[in-house]
Amino acid sequence: MKRKYSGTPRETIPLKVIDSLIDIYAKWFYKKRRRNLISDTPKVLIASLGHMGDALTVSYLFPIIYKKYPNAVIDIISPTWCKAVNDSNPYIRHVFYIDHFLSNRSKINTWQKLKQNYRTFREVLSDLKKDEYDYYLDVRTSYAVSHFILPFIHVKKAIGFNRRGLGGLLDVELDISKQATFHHFDTYSVLLKEMGIEVKLEEVVPYFTINPSISQQQIEQKLPSKLSSPYVLLFPETGEEHRQMSSEFWATIVGNVLNNSNYSFVLCGQTDLSARIIKNIQEVTDSRFVGRVLDGSKRLSIQELAFLATGAEYALTLDSFPEHLCCIFCKTITIYKASGLPFYPIANFPVLLLHGHTLSLGVEFVRKNVEILYRENMETEEVKNLIAEKIIS
């Protein structure tokens, strides 16, 4: 198979060199390993070394696997920063946490990330070796793949993609669709097909299990003032700042809604961006209305945000984990500055999606509860008014 690598020449040339050696090793040694027959009650090891949005959407595979194999066992390989998503999942037996340096967004240097990668791998290796897995599935088509673990563990059938190297270690080495653009769940379904499972994107039911101990009273104790309904959740952040909108953009929308409705807002995030937005809001709205904006940044857990989403009228998000979480529980308005169809939301509730992704222009999305609008430039009065009117109407 001629491999089509993902990345710049600076990234892909080393991958090609390494793969030339891996292919020799795999042919003469690894592929000759002894393997037992695959069980009809399989043990499945699913690897997803991406970020929280990936961890959430990968979890949608688990009930699909159990529907086909009711007595299956599912273990996962995941980074530590996805722990809040994995902890509540009822389908997972065990999580092996490995922090791959390529997907590590911590404010540390590359050498520290490499050491963290090695340390976390060493910490879980002895436990990974204890089982023989019927299937290994790695869902990643770019950046961090976990194929490097395969020579160290017992797997009967290893399935994954070859775009980021080490494909020679896979028993089923997959390439992605030749289409210009595709949805990431389409790649998941290709993996499941190798387990004898057929699934279509339009059939997927997204879920997130909320701990029953979470209550609104508990959440309100963390907020600066009491939350009143109806309310909108605003998530103005992503893991990559170039995908964010300006604080003035959000302030104009929030001010418009405050001036023309009885909605409140809860601003959610992990940085000081919410504080800057609130400062801008004070400049565009009546001072009487500013009290209806609550800054929940750095205060609320993922579980608490999910609980708030169940009672929200809308969530305003970017292409990020909060979008995928909120559209499970409430209507969502989301903005995609730098991506398109590959990450369109798998939603239970209606979604208004504005994107500037040329490759996704005019491409049909099979989940019909997502209204898609293309805008070359998002920072416009037209877009601000469109979003505010959607909430108010």
Side-chain angles (χ1 to χ4, degrees), residues 1-5 23 160-162 167 172-176:
M1 174 187 291
K2 185 177 180 180
R3 297 180 178 123
K4 298 177 182 177
Y5 293 91
D23 289 344
F161 297 92
N162 57 24
V172 181
E173 185 178 352
L174 297 169
D175 198 358
I176 61 171

Side-chain angles (χ1 to χ4, degrees), residues 47 61-62 160 179 181 190 208 246 252 258 299 314 326 337 361:
L61 297 175
F62 305 161
Q179 296 172 234
T181 187
V190 172
F208 179 79
S246 68
T252 303
L258 291 174
R299 303 171 190 261
Y314 277 97
C326 290
K337 283 182 70 175
L361 182 59

Side-chain angles (χ1 to χ4, degrees), residues 42-44 46 65 68-69 72 135-137 157 159 190-198:
K43 291 182 179 178
V44 186
I46 299 177
I65 292 172
K68 173 72 174 182
Y69 301 108
Y135 297 101
Y136 159 92
L137 309 178
K157 186 176 182 180
I159 310 160
V190 172
L191 296 169
L192 290 182
K193 194 171 183 178
E194 296 294 332
M195 293 179 59
I197 301 173
E198 298 280 349

Side-chain angles (χ1 to χ4, degrees), residues 101-275:
F101 73 98
L102 287 176
S103 51
N104 192 335
R105 292 172 174 169
S106 302
K107 304 291 186 183
I108 57 178
N109 62 42
T110 301
W111 175 241
Q112 291 172 312
K113 291 177 182 180
L114 285 166
K115 289 197 295 183
Q116 187 172 329
N117 189 157
Y118 178 74
R119 176 181 56 79
T120 53
F121 168 60
R122 291 287 299 173
E123 286 173 353
V124 301
L125 185 56
S126 60
D127 287 330
L128 271 168
K129 288 179 175 179
K130 290 177 181 177
D131 266 308
E132 182 179 31
Y133 290 98
D134 293 277
Y135 297 101
Y136 159 92
L137 309 178
D138 190 315
V139 304
R140 301 289 291 171
T141 61
S142 63
Y143 294 105
V145 294
S146 62
H147 310 337
F148 60 87
I149 70 165
L150 290 172
F152 302 95
I153 65 175
H154 309 292
V155 174
K156 299 175 187 177
K157 186 176 182 180
I159 310 160
F161 297 92
N162 57 24
R163 283 162 49 94
R164 290 299 296 185
L166 308 182
L169 296 173
L170 299 166
D171 298 305
V172 181
E173 185 178 352
L174 297 169
D175 198 358
I176 61 171
S177 168
K178 294 181 180 179
Q179 296 172 234
T181 187
F182 57 91
H183 194 272
H184 74 278
F185 203 91
D186 296 332
T187 64
Y188 297 176
S189 64
V190 172
L191 296 169
L192 290 182
K193 194 171 183 178
E194 296 294 332
M195 293 179 59
I197 301 173
E198 298 280 349
V199 61
K200 296 180 179 178
L201 176 57
E202 54 265 43
E203 300 169 345
V204 177
V205 180
Y207 70 96
F208 179 79
T209 305
I210 301 175
N211 191 313
S213 66
I214 304 294
S215 68
Q216 184 154 328
Q217 181 181 13
Q218 169 189 326
I219 295 171
E220 287 182 344
Q221 290 175 351
K222 296 184 176 183
L223 295 175
S225 59
K226 186 175 177 59
L227 177 64
S228 60
S229 293
Y231 61 86
V232 177
L233 302 179
L234 171 56
F235 296 86
E237 301 171 13
T238 73
E240 299 173 319
E241 289 189 11
H242 72 275
R243 292 155 52 192
Q244 294 182 176
M245 309 300 290
S246 68
S247 58
E248 292 82 6
F249 175 86
W250 295 118
T252 303
I253 294 171
V254 173
N256 190 339
V257 174
L258 291 174
N259 287 331
N260 294 283
S261 74
N262 64 340
Y263 281 107
S264 299
F265 281 83
V266 181
L267 274 61
C268 311
Q270 296 299 318
T271 72
D272 295 326
L273 179 58
S274 291

Side-chain angles (χ1 to χ4, degrees), residues 325-344:
L325 180 69
C326 290
C327 69
I328 298 173
F329 301 111
C330 68
K331 292 180 288 186
T332 302
I333 300 172
T334 187
I335 294 175
Y336 282 36
K337 283 182 70 175
S339 58
L341 176 64
F343 302 104
Y344 281 179

